[in-house]
Structure formats: C-alpha cells, structure tokens
Amino acid sequence: MESAIAAVIRSLGASLKNRGLYPTTHPLVRTPVEKCHLELAPFFADRSELALTVSDGTLVLEGVPIFQLTSSLELFMARLGAIGLPAVIFERGVSVQDIELFVRFLHETKEQGLPIPEITSRLARWGVTHIRITATEEEEKDDFTLAREIYGNALNVVVRALKDVRGGKTPDGAESDRAVREMSGMVSRNRDAMLALTLIKNFDEYTYNHSVNVSVLSLAVAETLGLPETERIGIGVAGLLHDVGKTQLALDLIRKPGTLTVEEFEEIKKHPEEGFAILGKMTHIQESTRAVVREHHMRFDRTGYPRPEPGFRMNPHSHVIAVADCYDALTTMRSYQKARTPQQALEVMRKLAGKSIDPDLVELMDRSFGVFPVGTMVRLSTMEVGVVTGTPDGGKGAPKVAILFDRSGNPLAVPQEVDLKERDPSSARPRRMILGTVNPLMHPPVSLSGILQAVPG
Ligand SMILES: [Fe+2]
Ligand SMILES: [Fe+2]
C-alpha cells in the first residue's frame, strides 16, 4: 500500500516538475499523468475517494505519510501549500484529463493563499470534475479560534482545581496534565496565537487567567530552550498550579490592593509550601513539578521565600516559572498598577535580571518574543498606527501588523492586516516600516481579541 501511494504522488510530482520544463504535450508531462491515473485505479476498488493532505509539513495520502521526498515531491507540496490547498480529494472516476488539468492548475496558479470556495470554482471552470478541495478537520478552525478553545479549557481546569481545594477535595491531576499537553501542542503549532491570549487581560478573573498565562508563557520559554516534552509538560503544569496554595489564604487577602502589612505578607509567604502539599496528594504530577511550585518565589539570588538552606539546589525549571510569573504580573493591570506593554515589561525585567530572576532567561525571552512582541502598538512610516499580531520565525522575521488607525488617527472599521515586506513599486522600498512603539494609552482602547479574530492566522 505504502509503495503504491508513494508511486501516485511521485507521478504527480514528476508531471508538475516537467510541466515547468516542457510543453504540455511532451511525453515527460503526459506520461506521469497517465501513470498516476493507472496507479490510482486499484485504490478505488474498495473506496470511493482518496484524500491527499499536507499536515505539519508532511505529505499524507489516505493517512499514510510520505517521508521520502524527492525534489519533484517537494515542489508539488510547496505548490499545494502556496496556493492554499489543505486537502485534495480524488474521487472514483477521476480521469486522465482531470489529473492533467489539476497539474496544470498547480503549475499556472500564481496567487497565494486562495480561499477554498475560490479554488473550487476555478477548478470547476477549468473542467476538473473528480478532484475537489476541502478543508481538513483542523484547518476548518483558524489557529486563533483553536488557541482560544484550548485556553478556555485550561481556564476551566484551573477554576475546578481551585474550587476543589477550597472544598477540601484533591483536584484531578490528569485534567491539568491534559490541558497543558493541549497548550503545549498549540504553542508548538502557533506560538503567537497562544501568546496573544495571555495579553487579553480579564481583571475580575485575575487568579485564573494568571495561572493559565504563566503556564503558556513558561511553555513558550521551555520550547525555546529546546527542553524534551516530559520536562516541558512538567513546567507547564507547574505554571498552571503554581499559585494553587493561595486557595488556603483568605480571599480578601489575595485580592487586597496595595501594600500588605508584615503579618499579611507572612501569610502570603506560605502559599508555595501549601501548593507543594496539595500537589503531593494529586495524581499525574511529576516530582519536579511539585518542587518547582515550592520554589517559585525563592528568586534567582535566593533571597525569596521559603528561604533556601545554604547548600540547597534549586530546580532550574523554577526560574522558568519565575520569569513567566513576572512577565504576566507586569503586563496585567491591577488596581494599584497600570498594565505595561510587553516591551515595557521586558525593560523592567532586564533591570531585575540577575537579582530576582535568571538573566539568561530574560535574555532568551527578550530575543524570542521579538523586538516588537505580539500586542505591541506601533507607528508605521505611513503614520498609521497598528498592533503586532505575530512574530514569525521566533521573533526574527518581519512582524505581522494589523492597522487600527489611519494616518489621521481615525479608527478603521475593520483592522487591516498589512505585509511589511510589501514594496512600493515606484521606489522598490518597503511601503511601510515600523517607526517605533506608541503608548497604547494615547489611543482609544482596542480589544486584542477582536483584532485577532478579524485577522486570523
Ligand atoms: Fe506565587
Ligand atoms: Fe503567580
């Protein structure tokens, strides 16, 4: 089966490649199409259609991944990806002409990222009858919708866990583990979509959102560090549950704005040990996760609480939670502090580096979140104002920007996503460049959630 599948794809790829080199009627274009047609036939003996998808950069035919990529296969996959074909369905009755036209469509279509209905109507116009395009299961939802669902699910897990503890019950560790695995997967798939959610602050639900945010942020740091999966999950669970011990404190103490009295602070200081005890009763919790929850306020310079004994070796993952905790606290507005932008937060963190937090991790965060992290409001050379919605290639690529205000400062009805790589044809220079950040408080409040929904992916 696998070799038969590989043969079909190879024929398609070969025809497409030769199409670029020879006229349509040339045997090197025509023969692979006929070969593909012959190779497809046996599959239809026991099924009416055959699905070809690209999933995570791998070509998959009927669930069988094709790992041996030749240059023609790579070209084939690149064309599918560029035009925006998530899944190609070959139906029983597919003809040589259908395949020929489909290859021609792949060769001649120059637009990128076409919507599925547009591709469908073009193929129909071309006369392709037994090859159709559909969205794959995953691609029906854009990454932001998916990320929001995963985030919401993790939020529910935290709410339940804290409620259980308050009610004297032990929370289900398997739930936390599952929620973190989902978030970890989403961080790998589209880190920006997940990180953007940590910036959508909900003041009333601070404790819950904070728990999920610290988990997401620490997962992003753990991934940049290249840690193995088990360790990443352990860190993510620690992030999710790091403040679970606060449930043992009086609610008004947790919510108290401003400075605490000495006695109150002594109470607060107990929450890492309380958390350590609670996690000890839960299933599906790694030993190191427990240790990290206990150590999350020890500080990099070991001056925090609980105060470590002189020879005590801190778990290195505790420092990951500490930077995530710090970043989320700084970017959150509280009654006694205004929210900082991601850039301002990183600036504060650079000053804390080497003291309360690990300098290497601050540098890593600084580098991997990009010069303009997601959520940063920027002014462009056109004098338009926008918000950064993505930082491709781990922060090294040109940021994705959605314009919110035109050059006169009037808000746009719908945010407009722009490509900073786009050039002005007359001067060949970039049409828009980022001049710098703008203070978000100078502009009417905007909902990041709404913007990201309007400009998905
Ligand atoms: Fe804490
Ligand atoms: Fe915290």
Side-chain angles (χ1 to χ4, degrees), residues 191 367-371 391-397:
R191 200 189 59 162
R367 255 186 299 124
S368 70
F369 283 21
V371 185
T391 58
D393 302 332
K396 287 190 279 295

Short mmCIF file of all heavy atoms in Angstrom, two decimals, residues 191 367-371 391-397:
data_model
loop_
_atom_site.label_atom_id
_atom_site.label_comp_id
_atom_site.label_asym_id
_atom_site.label_seq_id
_atom_site.Cartn_x
_atom_site.Cartn_y
_atom_site.Cartn_z
N ARG A 191 2.81 29.70 18.16
CA ARG A 191 3.12 30.30 19.46
C ARG A 191 2.46 31.66 19.63
O ARG A 191 1.97 32.01 20.69
CB ARG A 191 4.64 30.44 19.58
CG ARG A 191 5.11 30.59 21.01
CD ARG A 191 6.56 30.93 21.04
NE ARG A 191 6.78 32.17 20.30
CZ ARG A 191 7.87 32.91 20.42
NH1 ARG A 191 8.83 32.52 21.21
NH2 ARG A 191 7.99 34.02 19.74
N ARG A 367 14.84 37.98 23.33
CA ARG A 367 15.18 37.64 21.95
C ARG A 367 14.03 36.93 21.24
O ARG A 367 13.71 37.23 20.11
CB ARG A 367 16.41 36.73 21.93
CG ARG A 367 17.67 37.44 21.48
CD ARG A 367 18.81 36.45 21.33
NE ARG A 367 19.13 35.79 22.58
CZ ARG A 367 19.15 34.47 22.74
NH1 ARG A 367 18.87 33.68 21.74
NH2 ARG A 367 19.43 33.95 23.91
N SER A 368 13.40 35.97 21.94
CA SER A 368 12.44 35.13 21.23
C SER A 368 11.06 35.79 21.09
O SER A 368 10.27 35.40 20.26
CB SER A 368 12.31 33.76 21.89
OG SER A 368 11.66 33.89 23.12
N PHE A 369 10.77 36.79 21.90
CA PHE A 369 9.49 37.47 21.75
C PHE A 369 9.58 38.56 20.69
O PHE A 369 8.61 39.22 20.38
CB PHE A 369 9.00 38.07 23.08
CG PHE A 369 8.42 37.04 24.02
CD1 PHE A 369 8.72 35.71 23.88
CD2 PHE A 369 7.56 37.42 25.04
CE1 PHE A 369 8.20 34.75 24.74
CE2 PHE A 369 7.03 36.47 25.90
CZ PHE A 369 7.35 35.15 25.76
N GLY A 370 10.79 38.75 20.13
CA GLY A 370 10.95 39.72 19.06
C GLY A 370 11.17 41.12 19.60
O GLY A 370 10.94 41.39 20.77
N VAL A 371 11.60 42.01 18.71
CA VAL A 371 11.81 43.40 19.11
C VAL A 371 10.45 44.02 19.44
O VAL A 371 10.30 44.84 20.33
CB VAL A 371 12.48 44.19 17.97
CG1 VAL A 371 12.80 45.61 18.41
CG2 VAL A 371 13.74 43.48 17.51
N THR A 391 4.85 37.29 15.34
CA THR A 391 6.30 37.50 15.22
C THR A 391 6.89 36.24 14.60
O THR A 391 7.34 35.37 15.31
CB THR A 391 6.94 37.75 16.59
OG1 THR A 391 6.64 36.63 17.44
CG2 THR A 391 6.40 38.99 17.25
N PRO A 392 6.88 36.15 13.25
CA PRO A 392 7.32 34.92 12.59
C PRO A 392 8.77 34.56 12.90
O PRO A 392 9.56 35.42 13.31
CB PRO A 392 7.16 35.24 11.10
CG PRO A 392 6.23 36.40 11.05
CD PRO A 392 6.45 37.17 12.31
N ASP A 393 9.07 33.27 12.69
CA ASP A 393 10.43 32.74 12.85
C ASP A 393 11.04 33.06 14.21
O ASP A 393 12.17 33.53 14.31
CB ASP A 393 11.37 33.27 11.75
CG ASP A 393 10.87 32.92 10.36
OD1 ASP A 393 10.17 31.88 10.27
OD2 ASP A 393 11.14 33.66 9.41
N GLY A 394 10.27 32.82 15.25
CA GLY A 394 10.79 33.01 16.60
C GLY A 394 11.25 34.43 16.85
O GLY A 394 12.20 34.66 17.59
N GLY A 395 10.58 35.40 16.24
CA GLY A 395 10.88 36.80 16.50
C GLY A 395 11.88 37.40 15.52
O GLY A 395 12.15 38.60 15.57
N LYS A 396 12.44 36.57 14.62
CA LYS A 396 13.46 37.10 13.71
C LYS A 396 12.85 37.68 12.43
O LYS A 396 13.43 38.57 11.82
CB LYS A 396 14.48 36.02 13.36
CG LYS A 396 15.41 35.71 14.54
CD LYS A 396 16.57 34.82 14.15
CE LYS A 396 16.23 33.36 14.11
NZ LYS A 396 15.86 32.73 15.36
N GLY A 397 11.68 37.18 12.04
CA GLY A 397 11.04 37.65 10.81
C GLY A 397 10.36 39.00 11.01
O GLY A 397 10.25 39.49 12.13
#
